[in-house]
């Protein structure tokens, strides 16, 4: 693992392979380890960069509020260090919000964009209230909050079948410091609506959704790509497509990379 300093904060990242750069951005309560299954395959023909976002994994917390723009700037610092001018971005959930913020701030760097179980829309008022509830809950009982949050990301039908994988995800999530969790919830709560990017940007875009995603409403999320060139791939399960539909997702992403 490598590190770079961004605003006096250590950012942890990995850099594997050669070719067109692919930047993989994890979601809330995750870290760059979520991509371990995919890196060997992607790195056969591409340069693969994974980054621990602020307050996650081995990256330190920046402050008590970490915006999607702060994360995007941290990602840009890594790419500048690596002299990467253009890359394909894949963002899971919160990683998708960061990828969209990056696309707005540094549009010339984007070669392609994949939103994996993510949305370009801002939080609804109801969702903002839920973020505040989550902040209160995690301060009251860290372990309970993390355990419940992770289990609720999988479709109900997969919770028993993937129980050992869910335990592994929980174990990693519990490494996330309280400050990192709260700062990220605050940042997601105030993020901008970036749906316009799905309509007006010229590069290839792919939206991957789980039909039974307990976190993102499938029909509502799908609406935002109507009358756009964004391709949609739907899987039958929950929010954790990279685990619930691992092999199938690998094929979809490899095909997308090849098409660019």
């Amino acid at each position: 693992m490598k590190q770079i300093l961004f605003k006096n904060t250590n950012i942890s990242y990995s850099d594997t392979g050669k070719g067109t750069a692919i930047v993989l951005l994890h979601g809330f309560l995750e870290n760059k380890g979520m991509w371990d299954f995919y890196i060997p395959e992607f790195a056969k023909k591409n340069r693969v960069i994974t980054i621990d976002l602020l307050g996650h994994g081995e990256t330190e917390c920046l402050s008590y509020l970490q915006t999607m723009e702060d994360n995007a700037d941290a990602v840009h610092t890594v790419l500048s260090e690596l002299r990467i001018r253009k890359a394909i971005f894949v963002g899971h959930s919160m990683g998708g919000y960061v990828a969209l913020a990056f696309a707005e701030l540094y549009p010339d760097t984007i070669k392609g964009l994949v939103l994996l179980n993510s949305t370009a829309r801002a939080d609804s008022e109801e969702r903002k209230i839920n973020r505040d509830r989550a902040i209160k809950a995690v301060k009251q009982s860290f372990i309970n909050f993390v355990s419940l949050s992770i289990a609720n990301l999988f479709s109900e039908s997969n919770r028993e079948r993937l129980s050992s994988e869910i335990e592994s995800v929980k174990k990693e999530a519990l490494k996330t410091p309280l400050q990192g969790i709260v700062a990220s919830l605050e940042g997601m709560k105030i993020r901008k609506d970036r749906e316009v990017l799905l309509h007006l940007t010229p590069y290839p875009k792919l939206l991957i959704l789980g039909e039974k995603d307990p976190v993102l409403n499938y029909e509502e999320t799908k609406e935002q790509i109507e009358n756009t060139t964004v391709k949609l791939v739907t899987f039958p399960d929950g929010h954790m497509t990279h685990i619930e539909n691992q092999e199938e997702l690998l094929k979809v992403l490899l095909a997308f990379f090849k098409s660019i």
Side-chain angles (χ1 to χ4, degrees), residues 52 81 84 89 104 113 116 143 162 200 233 240 248 253:
D52 279 337
E81 170 74 8
I84 291 170
F89 281 71
E104 186 175 89
L113 176 64
L116 174 60
I143 293 172
L162 296 171
L200 299 180
V233 172
M240 303 295 268
E248 300 92 332
L253 289 174

Side-chain angles (χ1 to χ4, degrees), residues 1-259:
M1 293 303 138
K2 300 172 183 181
Q3 289 198 328
I4 187 172
L5 214 55
F6 164 73
K7 295 185 178 177
N8 295 319
T9 302
N10 274 316
I11 308 294
S12 179
Y13 67 94
S14 72
D15 178 11
T16 315
K18 290 179 180 176
T20 299
I22 296 166
V23 178
L24 303 175
L25 301 176
H26 65 79
F28 177 60
L29 296 177
E30 297 171 330
N31 57 56
K32 59 184 180 298
M34 72 164 274
W35 304 110
D36 285 353
F37 169 80
Y38 296 89
I39 293 171
E41 287 300 319
F42 294 169
K44 285 177 182 175
K45 292 183 178 177
N46 294 90
R47 185 177 184 182
V48 185
I49 315 299
T50 67
I51 302 169
D52 279 337
L53 297 173
L54 296 169
H56 286 73
E58 293 166 342
T59 288
E60 296 169 347
C61 295
L62 178 69
S63 68
Y64 289 94
L65 166 63
Q66 290 165 176
T67 65
M68 300 306 103
E69 291 84 357
D70 289 332
N71 277 291
D73 287 338
V75 170
H76 186 253
T77 299
V78 173
L79 298 191
S80 297
E81 170 74 8
L82 299 176
R83 297 183 180 175
I84 291 170
R85 291 185 178 180
K86 270 194 178 290
I88 301 166
F89 281 71
V90 181
H92 179 242
S93 198
M94 184 181 80
Y97 310 155
V98 174
L100 287 161
F102 188 99
E104 186 175 89
L105 291 167
Y106 308 103
D108 295 340
T109 312
I110 306 278
K111 194 178 172 73
L113 176 64
V114 180
L115 296 179
L116 174 60
N117 310 112
S118 193
T119 176
R121 289 179 175 169
D123 270 0
S124 63
E125 289 309 311
E126 184 189 353
R127 199 82 187 269
K128 286 177 183 175
I129 291 165
N130 287 338
R131 300 265 190 222
D132 286 331
R133 283 188 187 134
I135 290 166
K136 199 174 172 184
V138 73
K139 285 179 178 175
Q140 283 174 344
S141 179
F142 180 84
I143 293 172
N144 275 358
F145 171 80
V146 171
S147 297
L148 281 171
S149 296
I150 297 303
N152 288 339
L153 297 174
F154 292 79
S155 67
E156 278 188 47
S157 56
N158 279 333
R159 286 174 198 169
E160 198 173 319
R161 180 176 74 85
L162 296 171
S163 57
S164 63
E165 286 88 345
I166 292 170
E167 284 309 309
S168 296
V169 176
K170 280 183 192 174
K171 203 173 168 183
E172 286 302 309
L174 286 166
K175 294 177 187 175
T176 316
L178 177 61
Q179 186 185 333
I181 293 175
V182 173
S184 299
L185 285 165
E186 293 282 11
M188 288 189 284
K189 186 175 77 176
I190 62 164
R191 76 182 188 280
K192 287 170 62 177
D193 190 299
R194 292 190 165 92
E195 195 173 336
V196 66
L197 293 178
L198 301 181
H199 291 261
L200 299 180
T201 49
Y203 42 79
K205 292 172 288 293
L206 175 63
L207 177 63
I208 301 172
L209 298 175
E211 210 166 0
K212 294 178 190 148
D213 191 326
V215 183
L216 283 179
N217 181 289
Y218 174 73
E219 293 299 335
E220 279 177 24
T221 310
K222 201 172 67 162
E223 276 172 16
Q224 65 198 297
I225 62 164
E226 283 174 12
N227 304 314
T228 72
T229 58
V230 182
K231 289 181 181 172
L232 173 68
V233 172
T234 300
F235 285 103
D237 297 297
H239 193 69
M240 303 295 268
T241 297
H242 61 288
I243 296 171
E244 294 176 275
N245 310 101
Q246 199 176 61
E247 294 288 347
E248 300 92 332
L249 177 63
L250 177 65
K251 286 175 191 165
V252 166
L253 289 174
L254 287 172
F256 181 73
F257 302 154
K258 196 177 176 183
S259 72

